[in-house]
Amino acid sequence: MEKKYSVAIYPSQDVIVAIKTLKDYLETKIGWYNSKNSTAHITICEFTIDDSQIEIYKQKVFRICDTFTPFPVYLDHFGSYENSGAFFIAPNEDSKNNLKPIMKKTHEVLKPLKLKKSEDPHLSIGRRLTPENLKIASQLFTTIAIDFLCCEIVLRELDPVKRQFFVIDTFSFGSNPQAELVQGSLF
């Protein structure tokens, strides 16, 4: 059976709680909106495949995560994508430069799949907001300074009834940069 999956970076639990508070506050001003109930995350990619194939890709993500080393992520400003109505929290330049290779290498190991990729790391507050609601959000939220240790990637599956992703696996960073370069020999 085909299922939709998402690969993402979750911040720490205290950041998840803080983002939920922001989302709840925005709802009091504009009403319900897309991403309102979504757990705070930085999307790497989404794809749809037959669930019988997911184990193959879990192994690929596990192997690539073993090569990553944990690093701090600093989210220090708000931004928006006017064309998609997205309002988000963005990482500082150093954090963005650390996140992009993680995203790119993950895209590469999942290359055989038809990926909906995220190229620009950000943590969405709301999506598909009207121009008016984008303006309200940008007036409500002007400064932010939160951080977390990026030390794992999560694999999520879409619940078609709730229309929300839920975590089905977590891949910790192994700080083993040689793992993807080592190739054994029988002779």
Side-chain angles (χ1 to χ4, degrees):
M1 184 168 94
E2 281 210 334
K3 292 184 178 177
K4 187 171 186 175
Y5 297 94
S6 165
V7 180
I9 295 168
Y10 270 21
S12 59
Q13 192 57 43
D14 58 328
V15 171
I16 288 172
V17 170
I19 301 303
K20 181 171 178 3
T21 302
L22 293 178
K23 289 181 174 207
D24 289 347
Y25 183 63
L26 181 58
E27 184 186 34
T28 68
K29 302 299 181 186
I30 67 170
W32 184 89
Y33 56 91
N34 282 289
S35 289
K36 194 283 186 201
N37 295 320
S38 178
T39 301
H41 67 280
I42 296 172
T43 300
I44 295 175
C45 61
E46 293 179 3
F47 56 90
T48 302
I49 60 168
D50 190 273
D51 61 346
S52 65
Q53 296 180 299
I54 195 64
E55 288 304 318
I56 296 163
Y57 294 100
K58 280 185 181 185
Q59 286 305 311
K60 290 179 181 226
V61 174
F62 172 80
R63 282 196 298 277
I64 194 72
C65 284
D66 191 45
T67 70
F68 300 150
T69 299
F71 59 92
V73 172
Y74 299 95
L75 301 162
D76 68 353
H77 63 283
F78 291 99
S80 62
Y81 300 127
E82 309 284 326
N83 57 341
S84 66
F87 184 74
F88 57 84
I89 305 171
N92 68 12
E93 218 41 52
D94 283 346
S95 296
K96 186 183 267 197
N97 291 336
N98 287 328
L99 287 163
K100 281 191 168 191
I102 301 287
M103 296 169 80
K104 187 174 183 184
K105 286 182 180 180
T106 305
H107 294 157
E108 286 170 10
V109 300
L110 298 174
K111 201 176 202 162
L113 301 172
K114 186 178 175 191
L115 299 177
K116 180 181 169 191
K117 300 179 195 175
S118 175
E119 307 279 353
D120 187 30
H122 64 280
L123 198 153
S124 293
I125 299 296
R127 292 180 303 115
R128 295 190 213 126
L129 299 178
T130 63
E132 299 79 31
N133 286 345
L134 261 180
K135 185 177 179 187
I136 291 168
S138 63
Q139 290 170 341
L140 285 176
F141 306 116
T142 56
T143 60
I144 189 89
I146 53 179
D147 62 273
F148 66 93
L149 183 66
C150 180
C151 59
E152 62 190 18
I153 285 176
V154 297
L155 176 64
R156 308 179 308 159
E157 183 182 310
L158 183 67
D159 179 326
V161 177
K162 292 182 179 176
R163 294 177 36 186
Q164 291 290 324
F165 284 101
F166 62 95
V167 175
I168 59 170
D169 216 334
T170 302
F171 307 94
S172 297
F173 293 179
S175 302
N176 187 8
Q178 297 304 309
E180 66 181 328
L181 304 174
V182 174
Q183 183 173 340
S185 173
L186 295 174
F187 305 102

